[in-house]
Amino acid sequence: MLPKATTKLYGLIGTPIDHSFSPSMHNKAFETLDIDGCYLAFDTDKEDLEKTVAALKQLGARGWNVTMPLKSEIVNYCDYLSPEAKLIGAVNTVVNDNGILTGYSTDGIGFFRNAKENDVIVKDKNILLLGAGGAARSIAAQAVLEDVKKLTIYNRTLEKALELKEDLSEEAKKRGVMIEAKALEDKESLRKDLLDSDLFINATSVGMSPDDKESIIEEADIPDNIVVADIVYTPNKTQLEKIAEKKNLKILDGLGMVLWQGAYAFNLWTQADFPVELIKKEVFKIDTK
Ligand code: ATR
């Protein structure tokens, strides 16, 4: 449907945003579901954030996504935060209820929803997470909220893994979730922990195009009975996923998380179910059937 006088505004703020799939995803969903909305990208840096948030409120925008470098900064403008956003101090989705802003972090929720859709249930399981950047933090927080048994975080920069562990420690203790933080260079320990894990998640950027021949871990180190998840979705099939496929392991791909984080944001704004399969096919041109 073409925009009209009653059309509600939605958007994405951050910089750079030219490459984002979000406008295509959400506008396609509006069109498919016949929802009177329009999603636009607004290039915004830290200095402009206050003015942009004021403008979006003034224009009555129903909600917006927030990307780099504003995910932490936007917290200061939110009246309320969801549990996972509070845990990590970062927001990627804002809902505007008549000027009252609530912030959510849907990457982690999206990741685990995609897992569930693929029959991977993580409650009481051991999760090994590589990375401690923005996406990894959101996944780690949600892993705690999903009541996993143990979360082991490896990162190239150990301090960031320790900081993440510290941020989650109170909630983890309350829920009886064990958390460990280790340095990625400790390969011996990584190999041992992998043997004891049910789900391995690459939440680093290693393997992303143009460095798509790289894999964060070697084939020999991947056990035979583990689920392998990679949040990288360009290329479509990462080197890590190729290795996992060769070993006949169950795989959770990065596109699933992208789709489901968008699906959650869309649902928070509109209460409608995002047409995940159609978006996969029409926007990402991936035919799953
Ligand atoms: P995103 O928002 O996509 O998570 P990010 O916050 O920049 O991106 O985080 C990137 C993650 O990939 C970090 O965990 C980073 O490790 P450092 O914290 O040590 O920087 C990890 N990463 C990037 N390149 C890496 C590499 N070559 N080897 C190992 N880890 C890498």
Side-chain angles (χ1 to χ4, degrees):
M1 130 189 346
L2 287 172
K4 50 190 188 195
T6 52
T7 301
K8 276 279 168 213
L9 177 65
Y10 300 80
L12 167 68
I13 60 173
T15 190
I17 47 173
D18 291 0
H19 63 285
S20 174
F21 288 114
S22 294
S24 311
M25 273 175 29
H26 291 293
N27 286 319
K28 188 75 196 172
F30 288 142
E31 183 195 321
T32 306
L33 302 177
D34 216 8
I35 292 175
D36 192 11
C38 178
Y39 186 110
L40 297 171
F42 302 103
D43 201 296
T44 307
D45 59 23
K46 279 188 187 164
E47 292 88 81
D48 295 330
L49 182 58
E50 189 175 350
K51 278 188 280 179
T52 302
V53 170
L56 287 166
K57 280 169 105 170
Q58 175 64 26
L59 295 173
R62 169 67 181 137
W64 53 91
N65 287 126
V66 184
T67 187
M68 282 196 340
L70 309 175
K71 285 184 177 183
S72 307
E73 210 76 17
I74 190 74
V75 166
N76 303 320
Y77 298 87
C78 292
D79 300 290
Y80 299 101
L81 292 177
S82 65
E84 78 291 343
K86 201 181 279 178
L87 272 181
I88 55 170
V91 157
N92 78 338
T93 300
V94 174
V95 178
N96 178 13
D97 290 303
N98 301 314
I100 306 294
L101 304 186
T102 307
Y104 299 81
S105 177
T106 67
D107 284 334
I109 306 174
F111 177 87
F112 288 106
R113 176 60 188 269
N114 181 48
K116 216 169 282 169
E117 290 293 315
N118 285 280
D119 302 319
V120 177
I121 307 298
V122 295
K123 191 173 185 310
D124 297 325
K125 295 285 169 64
N126 291 344
I127 313 292
L128 196 147
L129 177 71
L130 294 199
R137 287 179 64 82
S138 187
I139 292 171
Q142 193 59 32
V144 171
L145 296 175
E146 301 271 335
D147 294 310
V148 303
K149 184 171 164 197
K150 182 171 156 195
L151 174 67
T152 310
I153 306 161
Y154 277 85
N155 197 46
R156 180 178 59 180
T157 312
L158 176 62
E159 292 70 33
K160 278 168 67 179
L162 290 167
E163 197 184 315
L164 177 53
K165 177 186 167 184
E166 178 59 30
D167 290 347
L168 302 179
S169 64
E170 203 184 309
E171 185 69 25
K173 201 169 158 201
K174 225 162 57 187
R175 291 173 173 270
V177 175
M178 275 182 284
I179 307 191
E180 286 193 287
K182 301 184 181 183
L184 187 56
E185 65 182 4
D186 190 354
K187 297 286 181 215
E188 205 44 54
S189 167
L190 176 62
R191 270 181 219 120
K192 257 188 21 220
D193 283 333
L194 274 167
L195 286 172
D196 190 34
S197 300
D198 302 289
L199 170 63
F200 162 67
I201 308 167
N202 173 40
T204 74
S205 46
V206 176
M208 193 186 291
S209 302
D211 300 320
D212 54 10
K213 295 281 177 288
E214 286 179 28
S215 165
I216 190 85
I217 52 173
E218 290 166 30
E219 185 173 343
D221 294 339
I222 304 177
D224 291 329
N225 53 352
I226 198 166
V227 177
V228 173
D230 197 346
I231 68 157
V232 175
Y233 60 94
T234 50
N236 216 333
K237 196 178 281 175
T238 62
Q239 187 62 23
L240 173 62
E241 286 166 4
K242 283 181 190 164
I243 294 171
E245 193 175 70
K246 204 169 127 198
K247 291 177 79 98
N248 247 328
L249 300 176
K250 184 156 205 156
I251 299 167
L252 302 174
D253 69 7
L255 190 59
M257 182 175 102
V258 173
L259 283 162
W260 282 105
Q261 65 75 29
Y264 267 93
F266 190 84
N267 183 258
L268 288 166
W269 298 324
T270 65
Q271 275 72 58
D273 286 340
F274 196 67
V276 173
E277 286 307 316
L278 180 128
I279 299 295
K280 204 173 196 174
K281 211 164 127 190
E282 306 253 322
V283 177
F284 293 93
K285 308 289 177 209
I286 292 172
D287 202 342
T288 46
K289 299 281 170 284

